[in-house]
Amino acid sequence: MKEVVLKSAANAFGLDSDLLTHVGGYINDVYQYPAQNGDPSRIMRLTKQSWRNQKEVLAELHFMKYLFDNGVSVPDILPSKDGNLVESVEGSYYASMFTKAPGRIPVEEDWNEKMVGNWGRIVGQMHLLTQSYVPLQGAKRRDWKQEPWMDMMRHLPHEEPIVRQKADQLLNWLETIPKDGKNYGLVHCDLYDQNFFVTKDGRITAFDFDDCCYHWFAFDVATILYLVIARFNRQEKKGESLDDHVAWFLDAFLKGYQVVNTFDNWWLKALPYLLSYRQLLGYNLWHQRYDWKTVDGELKTKWLRMKAEIEADEPLTNYPFE
């Protein structure tokens, strides 16, 4: 990140740019600022203006603030010196600041029923609260159909007719499922285990709402399960089968979810279709970010494997969703 960008962002929030430490980010650039003068540690996020416009960022933060004010464990949003939640800074970025979440990205020892139950509980809280959420006038997050990165029929190449056919079938299926306020609303859309911190006692704090959009609540759950499956498949030492792991995860997750919200029966039966849809979205994203003709190595191997799985219509798990 250029020094001029960091200085501009730090100045907007009354910080010393020399104390900002880069801690990660995929789409956005994320920096940590140390606890100082009685203030807790903070997180500075820089978003490319080419990725999100100012109203979209503001809409995201407004939703997070609504969740925070209603008792959901998300970071608080901290205003700039001028009282703004979003500041336009040098280098065509938008800067925003949050309190730092307690805990850490979960490691193997954190994966237990308590953490997974709390994971389900926080998703249930969000889905319940989004039903009464009123967005800012003139600053609303997009419906999934308006998200360019989700536009599969635009980005999947015509040279892959089978993949496009699968995508078309799933998109048509989505049009048949209930879209009322109890099933559809503003969701996180990416709450996998890299987008929350967990404390030693299993409490979690959710962050990175950059992908939040209007979608089915069941898809929010499917996205989590899809990435839980991917995590399991990456592990070398496995003391259980994938299907047993999915059963364990769903049992703990749904127990937590149902403490605060209702999980409709049709959502469970829809999960295999939504898992396939999520897989296609990931495949679609690769086509947007990389050039198939120049990709090689491990990414090429993964790409070919995913293409074969999609074309063969292989289920991601044989767990009986009933």
Side-chain angles (χ1 to χ4, degrees), residues 293-311:
K293 296 176 183 177
T294 60
V295 164
D296 57 13
E298 186 179 358
L299 179 56
K300 186 72 169 240
T301 301
K302 289 180 179 178
W303 202 323
L304 286 169
R305 186 188 308 129
M306 186 181 290
K307 182 175 184 289
E309 288 173 353
I310 292 169
E311 291 183 340

Side-chain angles (χ1 to χ4, degrees), residues 236-281:
E236 295 181 4
K237 296 180 181 179
K238 301 174 183 177
E240 60 182 339
S241 70
L242 170 61
D243 297 341
D244 286 341
H245 185 69
V246 169
W248 170 81
F249 177 83
L250 277 178
D251 181 65
F253 184 90
L254 294 182
K255 281 179 181 176
Y257 189 101
Q258 290 171 317
V259 168
V260 292
N261 200 12
T262 301
F263 191 90
D264 281 3
N265 289 334
W266 78 262
W267 296 3
L268 198 61
K269 296 176 181 177
L271 283 180
Y273 301 96
L274 291 169
L275 286 172
S276 296
Y277 168 63
R278 176 58 183 79
Q279 183 182 43
L280 272 162
L281 282 175

Side-chain angles (χ1 to χ4, degrees), residues 88-150:
S88 180
V89 299
E90 295 287 340
S92 299
Y93 284 88
Y94 293 119
S96 46
M97 195 165 68
F98 313 81
T99 54
K100 183 179 181 295
R104 65 186 180 190
I105 292 290
V107 297
E108 189 60 36
E109 66 187 75
D110 297 315
W111 279 78
N112 53 52
E113 288 185 8
K114 187 169 185 179
M115 185 198 81
V116 175
N118 286 334
W119 195 348
R121 189 175 190 277
I122 198 171
V123 175
Q125 283 181 297
M126 291 181 190
H127 292 175
L128 183 64
L129 284 167
T130 194
Q131 295 176 45
S132 55
Y133 172 64
V134 179
L136 279 172
Q137 188 171 0
K140 183 180 179 181
R141 294 295 291 190
R142 293 171 176 168
D143 187 81
W144 66 275
K145 287 186 176 181
Q146 300 168 319
E147 279 287 359
W149 75 271
M150 287 187 172

